[in-house]
Amino acid sequence: MTGTPMTGTPRRHVPQVAANPIPYWSRGGSVDKSKGVFEQAFKDFQRIGFTAVKADVPEGMSAGDYSEWIGGYGLSPSLSLFNSAFDETIRIGDEVERAKTFAADQLALGLDRTMISSMSLPARLAKPAVGADFSEDRLQLAIENVGTVCRTLQSEGLRPLHHSHIGGVFETEDEITRLLDTLGKDIIGFGPDTGHLRWAGIDPVAMIGRYADRIGGIHLKDVFADYLDPQSREGMGYFEVSATKRLWAEPGLGVLDLPAVIAAMPEDYDGDYMIEVDQPSVDSLFESHRMSYEWARQTLDSRLTPGRS
């Protein structure tokens, strides 16, 4: 998943177990990406054994300084994410310029790909995972806008991978497949999130199989059964459901058949396996990531072997 810094020229990458520090900086819809928050996450990841972390360069920091910073904790940069609403609320020219700046940082870190995701429609945050307030015009515009941003990222040397997320324009299976099938694999790849797919009623194994030739990244998390049925969360919004600690689960604790997910991944997959538990089911962030890392090392052992063909 890494390339030569500043060029984006790909080289063979041995997959690593990476961590996304999202539960450190995102709490109930509020965001705190201060240096102290990241430092706590990096210290925890170093103690646990992670060697890669989602590349999230803080505003005002250069890619070089960020690389040196995380390197001090024994971490290397891993697959990041470009986020936009992609709907009528954005100006596509502004998003193109933002994509160029984003790509420059990612390439400087030696990365050759990125996830690209849509967030967040108010109606879908209020009534998550059911495709609330669907608009055909909005969907078509969003597909067009995603295509424009993807072509921009590609022109800069970065491979875009669609990453579905509850609350965005591409939430349901029909919306995701329309995006991928309309733009085609030459424009956009696939970077699934097992938890977000399952919450939307989508089988991650089937989706991975359908778009196996386009997969360049993956987020691994499990889900509990408690709030998967829309009737069980009537009147509850996205953040309210997440806050129950009975939605997202550390890998192996929920209802997803994650070994089947791993088995469905292409044999020549050369991206990282990123652990992402948006809202841990246990009180300790350290313990949540320790549990996830131990599961990953046991389950992914053969996928992390250097020289594996």
Side-chain angles (χ1 to χ4, degrees):
M1 189 164 65
T2 57
T4 302
M6 302 306 294
T7 69
T9 303
R11 64 174 181 259
R12 177 61 182 168
H13 174 73
V14 177
Q16 300 182 81
V17 178
N20 186 345
I22 185 172
Y24 287 83
W25 57 256
S26 177
R27 304 290 184 89
S30 64
V31 173
D32 179 5
K33 289 190 174 184
S34 62
K35 189 172 183 179
V37 167
F38 277 121
E39 284 180 338
Q40 184 58 59
F42 299 158
K43 288 177 182 178
D44 286 354
F45 297 163
Q46 183 180 40
R47 286 178 59 199
I48 291 166
F50 285 103
T51 56
V53 65
K54 177 193 171 188
D56 196 356
V57 181
E59 187 175 350
M61 179 179 288
S62 71
D65 287 343
Y66 174 79
S67 183
E68 182 178 357
W69 183 30
I70 65 173
Y73 297 94
L75 299 169
S76 61
S78 187
L79 184 67
S80 192
L81 182 146
F82 181 88
N83 174 47
S84 171
F86 289 114
D87 61 8
E88 67 279 2
T89 65
I90 62 127
R91 296 178 58 181
I92 190 59
D94 293 341
E95 299 303 89
V96 165
E97 292 306 311
R98 194 163 63 86
K100 291 178 180 178
T101 300
F102 174 84
D105 279 345
Q106 300 303 301
L107 292 169
L109 293 172
L111 296 169
D112 68 353
R113 67 195 73 175
T114 183
M115 289 188 175
I116 181 169
S117 188
S118 62
M119 309 174 209
S120 295
L121 300 178
R124 294 192 170 187
L125 291 179
K127 191 175 183 180
V130 294
D133 192 33
F134 174 79
S135 165
E136 178 65 27
D137 289 343
R138 179 192 295 124
L139 178 61
Q140 290 187 20
L141 175 62
I143 291 174
E144 179 182 338
N145 286 338
V146 169
T148 298
V149 169
C150 284
R151 292 180 180 91
T152 298
L153 292 169
Q154 284 187 338
S155 70
E156 298 295 316
L158 210 56
R159 176 187 174 195
L161 312 166
H162 179 253
H163 182 72
S164 61
H165 198 286
I166 298 301
V169 177
F170 308 104
E171 183 178 68
T172 67
E173 183 168 5
D174 179 66
E175 291 163 347
I176 296 167
T177 57
R178 284 184 61 184
L179 169 72
L180 294 173
D181 294 346
T182 299
L183 294 182
K185 65 180 181 181
D186 291 339
I187 301 299
I188 191 168
F190 188 41
D193 181 299
T194 56
H196 282 278
L197 287 173
R198 181 61 184 85
W199 191 12
I202 304 167
D203 179 0
V205 175
M207 284 291 279
I208 288 171
R210 178 170 178 172
Y211 297 105
D213 62 340
R214 298 164 72 165
I215 292 179
I218 188 169
H219 283 184
L220 292 172
K221 59 171 165 279
D222 214 336
V223 287
F224 293 115
D226 303 43
Y227 292 101
L228 295 183
D229 184 339
Q231 291 184 342
S232 68
R233 56 179 188 268
E234 191 68 34
M236 300 175 69
Y238 178 95
F239 296 110
E240 292 171 295
V241 178
S242 294
T244 66
K245 292 184 176 291
R246 293 301 302 174
L247 173 64
W248 307 124
E250 290 73 18
L253 295 187
V255 298
L256 276 176
D257 187 352
L258 289 175
V261 168
I262 303 305
M265 293 291 285
E267 282 296 313
D268 61 352
Y269 174 67
D270 66 348
D272 291 334
Y273 291 88
M274 185 169 289
I275 301 296
E276 182 190 73
V277 185
D278 302 38
Q279 175 63 262
S281 70
V282 296
D283 290 334
S284 167
L285 297 181
F286 177 89
E287 185 64 13
S288 172
H289 286 84
R290 185 197 63 77
M291 294 161 57
S292 298
Y293 181 78
E294 290 189 359
W295 172 89
R297 292 301 310 184
Q298 294 174 7
T299 308
L300 294 166
D301 183 63
S302 64
R303 295 266 173 170
L304 307 173
T305 304
R308 177 180 173 275
S309 60

